[in-house]
């Protein structure tokens, strides 16, 4: 469309001449030639310049009627030609023929017929139509396209065809490819590397519907009898029951689940068991893996009043990740045993806590029930999986504030039931530490690659506590030799010290991380003095090149552990040291 404003003129790109709107002050803008005035054809342009003094400018030619059939139609950017030097118009026989679009021969600078670009002259000295071929007359309608215009249209059309072709090709190539669609996919997720499915959390409700939660029939695998659903909450309420070794508060680093479901089932008979199933669906397997790691560390730390980890279990064949443990919970003078299995399958994390008084339920049975639940969740996610849980001896999940040392939840309650053990930071072994008095070594000066210690205390006593020392020896033989020496010192202590009373060392064994064997000894020592009898518990174990020594000073008033508890603490210290390089 032509700009209707006659005052606008585009600037000349060739010689920088000034348009009518930009003419110097005092200059006169020449009259706009009428459309349809014939061009000069091949006549050379008349040089422009100021008119002779006193001579008026040549009058503009009379316009030709628009309906004159003999008059040639205007061409693209054709403007009326300037009159001849004498001012007479061209004859009627002069006609402009339709141009032929072929390149002109480029003229060399020394060609005498070539046109020379003249300096800019004032607008008043220009002859009408002097800017032909250099200025676009906005008042003249465009009826034809020039060579460049048609070429531009051709290129644009070709680009549009290519773009449409690429779009069609892309659409055809991505048919059936869910990754090409940015919208949430509802297709079944692909199996994970372990062979278990990765349920898509785009529709977590389908994955965690009531039908795929622990039900009475499945709970019968944990303990035969009649089970009933006592509670189902989506999400769990603030006062909902929680698994042992956990709290109702979100742990640090815990991602937000897309769906969170809790179900509680009650069994029948004497010492009626209960089972709590907590299932969470996350946006991706990566988020679920993070949630699993946080939950496993929470269980491994077991920072819950009156609770401690009785035993750990290595669980495999149950989704992508799994672990298990048995926790002992003392509340109101009553003890309950909680057998807990945690697993992750794709983007779903499950925890089942089966509790009973008297004696613990089997971790193997709990894992089998959770395997059946996981299989139903796989089917709801559109995948086929066949969990085959296997349970073996092993350490609890890695936990505690200093990996490689005992976690506070590894220690049974001493003193008051609901007291939590607290530990000092890890530090070099003190030169003042002498142990039970039977050991013939100076712990601070042992030839060890590394050595560090911690002290564990309970809030209600300032003199009762537990010492733990972890050493890395030169090799496995050096570690075994140190354990053998301490055992020999205990055996000979009564002969060397008449005031000592030492129980026969008890051999203890366990399984650490990656099935590493933990072996050692425990013993009770009593030393008489003028101030009374001091009692101690000693434990020493090794695994590979590492050694863990534990020491306790029992006091009256319940500040002590049983023989069985102490044996477990000594082994647990060895298990914990195998969980770090």
């Amino acid at each position: 469309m032509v700009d209707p404003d006659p005052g606008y003129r585009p600037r000349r790109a060739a010689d920088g001449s000034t348009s009518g709107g930009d003419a110097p002050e005092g200059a006169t803008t020449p009259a706009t030639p009428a459309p349809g005035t014939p061009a000069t054809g091949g006549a050379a342009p008349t040089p422009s310049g100021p008119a002779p003094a006193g001579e008026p400018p040549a009058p503009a030619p009379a316009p030709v009627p628009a309906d004159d059939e003999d008059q040639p139609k205007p061409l693209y950017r054709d403007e009326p030609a300037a009159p001849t030097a004498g001012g007479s118009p061209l004859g009627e026989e002069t006609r402009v023929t339709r141009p032929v679009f072929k390149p002109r021969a480029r003229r060399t600078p020394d060609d005498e017929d070539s046109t020379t670009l003249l300096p800019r002259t004032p607008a008043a000295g220009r002859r009408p139509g002097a800017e032909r071929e250099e200025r676009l007359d906005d008042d003249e309608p465009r009826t034809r396209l020039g060579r460049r215009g048609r070429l531009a249209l051709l290129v644009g059309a070709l680009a549009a065809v290519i773009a449409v072709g690429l779009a069609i090709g892309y659409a055809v190539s991505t048919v059936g490819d869910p990754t090409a669609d940015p919208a949430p996919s509802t297709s079944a997720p692909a199996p994970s590397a372990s062979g278990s499915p990765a349920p898509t959390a785009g529709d977590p409700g389908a994955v965690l519907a009531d039908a795929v939660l622990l039900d009475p029939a499945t709970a019968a695998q944990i303990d035969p009898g009649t089970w009933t659903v006592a509670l189902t909450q989506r999400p769990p309420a603030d006062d909902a029951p929680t698994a042992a070794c956990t709290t109702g508060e979100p742990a640090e680093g815990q991602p937000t689940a897309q769906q969170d479901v809790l179900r509680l089932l009650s069994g029948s008979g004497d010492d009626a068991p209960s089972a709590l199933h907590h299932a969470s669906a996350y946006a991706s397997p990566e988020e679920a893996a993070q949630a699993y790691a946080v939950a496993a560390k929470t269980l491994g730390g077991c920072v819950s009043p009156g609770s401690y980890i009785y035993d750990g279990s290595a669980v495999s064949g149950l989704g992508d990740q799994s672990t298990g443990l048995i926790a002992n919970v003392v509340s109101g003078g009553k003890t309950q045993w909680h057998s807990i299995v945690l697993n992750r399958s794709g983007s779903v994390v499950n925890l089942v806590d089966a509790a009973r008084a008297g004696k613990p339920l089997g971790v193997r049975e709990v894992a089998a029930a959770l395997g059946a639940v996981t299989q139903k969740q796989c089917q709801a996610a559109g995948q086929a999986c066949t969990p085959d849980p296997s349970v073996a001896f092993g350490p609890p999940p890695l936990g505690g504030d200093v990996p490689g040392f005992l976690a506070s939840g590894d220690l049974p309650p001493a003193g008051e039931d609901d007291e939590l053990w607290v530990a000092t930071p890890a530090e070099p072994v003190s030169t003042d530490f002498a142990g039970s008095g039977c050991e013939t070594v100076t712990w601070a000066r042992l030839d060890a690659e590394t050595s560090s210690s911690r002290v564990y205390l309970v809030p209600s006593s300032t003199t009762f506590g537990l010492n733990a020392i972890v050493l890395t020896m030169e090799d496995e033989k050096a570690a075994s030799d140190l354990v053998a020496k301490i055992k020999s010192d205990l055996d000979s202590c009564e002969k060397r010290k008449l005031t000592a009373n030492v129980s026969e060392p008890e051999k203890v064994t366990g399984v650490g991380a990656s099935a590493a064997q933990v072996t050692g000894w425990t013993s009770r020592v009593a030393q008489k003095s003028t101030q009374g009898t001091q009692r101690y518990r000693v434990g020493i174990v090794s695994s590979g090149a590492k050694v863990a020594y534990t020491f306790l000073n029992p006091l009256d008033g319940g500040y002590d552990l049983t023989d069985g508890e102490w044996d477990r603490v000594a082994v647990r210290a060895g298990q914990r040291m195998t969980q770090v390089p």
Side-chain angles (χ1 to χ4, degrees), residues 201-300:
D203 184 15
V207 177
L208 298 183
D210 287 352
V212 299
L213 301 179
L214 184 65
D215 56 23
T218 307
Q221 298 184 46
I222 300 175
D223 186 63
T226 303
W227 290 81
T228 58
V229 176
L231 177 70
T232 301
Q233 292 182 343
R234 302 170 179 270
D238 293 339
D239 59 349
T242 58
C245 296
T246 65
T247 64
E249 298 297 326
E252 182 180 358
Q254 181 82 22
T256 302
Q258 289 196 339
Q259 189 178 22
D260 211 14
V261 188
L262 182 141
R263 169 170 283 185
L264 180 65
L265 297 92
S266 300
S268 60
D270 296 337
D271 295 330
S274 64
L276 184 147
H277 178 205
H278 190 176
S280 303
Y282 295 88
S284 66
E286 292 75 20
E287 281 195 8
Q290 181 182 351
Y292 173 88
V294 172
K297 184 177 180 181
T298 301
L299 290 174

Side-chain angles (χ1 to χ4, degrees), residues 140-365:
E140 179 179 353
R142 303 177 185 177
T143 58
R144 299 179 185 273
L145 292 177
R147 179 185 180 189
R148 293 183 181 178
R150 289 197 286 182
L151 180 60
L153 286 178
L154 180 61
V155 172
L158 181 60
V161 171
I162 294 175
V164 172
L166 290 175
I168 294 174
Y170 176 77
V172 172
S173 64
T174 56
V175 171
D177 183 5
T179 62
D181 187 1
S185 174
T186 57
S187 60
S192 60
S194 66
S196 62
T200 300
D203 184 15
V207 177
L208 298 183
D210 287 352
V212 299
L213 301 179
L214 184 65
D215 56 23
T218 307
Q221 298 184 46
I222 300 175
D223 186 63
T226 303
W227 290 81
T228 58
V229 176
L231 177 70
T232 301
Q233 292 182 343
R234 302 170 179 270
D238 293 339
D239 59 349
T242 58
C245 296
T246 65
T247 64
E249 298 297 326
E252 182 180 358
Q254 181 82 22
T256 302
Q258 289 196 339
Q259 189 178 22
D260 211 14
V261 188
L262 182 141
R263 169 170 283 185
L264 180 65
L265 297 92
S266 300
S268 60
D270 296 337
D271 295 330
S274 64
L276 184 147
H277 178 205
H278 190 176
S280 303
Y282 295 88
S284 66
E286 292 75 20
E287 281 195 8
Q290 181 182 351
Y292 173 88
V294 172
K297 184 177 180 181
T298 301
L299 290 174
C302 198
V303 184
S304 181
S307 303
Y308 75 97
I309 301 173
Y310 177 79
D311 204 359
S313 297
V315 181
S316 59
L318 187 54
D320 299 293
Q321 295 171 284
S322 55
T323 188
L325 58 84
I326 296 176
N328 182 297
V329 179
V330 179
S331 177
K334 297 181 180 180
T335 299
Q336 262 202 335
W337 299 92
H338 292 253
S339 301
I340 303 173
V341 177
L342 173 73
N343 88 318
R344 177 184 73 85
S345 180
S347 58
V348 176
V349 176
N350 293 284
L351 182 148
V352 173
D353 178 358
R356 184 174 65 180
K359 64 178 181 179
L361 295 161
V363 174
R364 183 173 287 103
E365 286 71 26

Side-chain angles (χ1 to χ4, degrees), residues 117-135:
L117 186 65
L118 299 179
R120 184 176 61 183
T121 58
R126 296 184 184 178
R127 299 173 58 188
E131 291 183 2
R132 190 174 71 86
E133 301 296 334
E134 288 115 14
R135 174 187 286 176

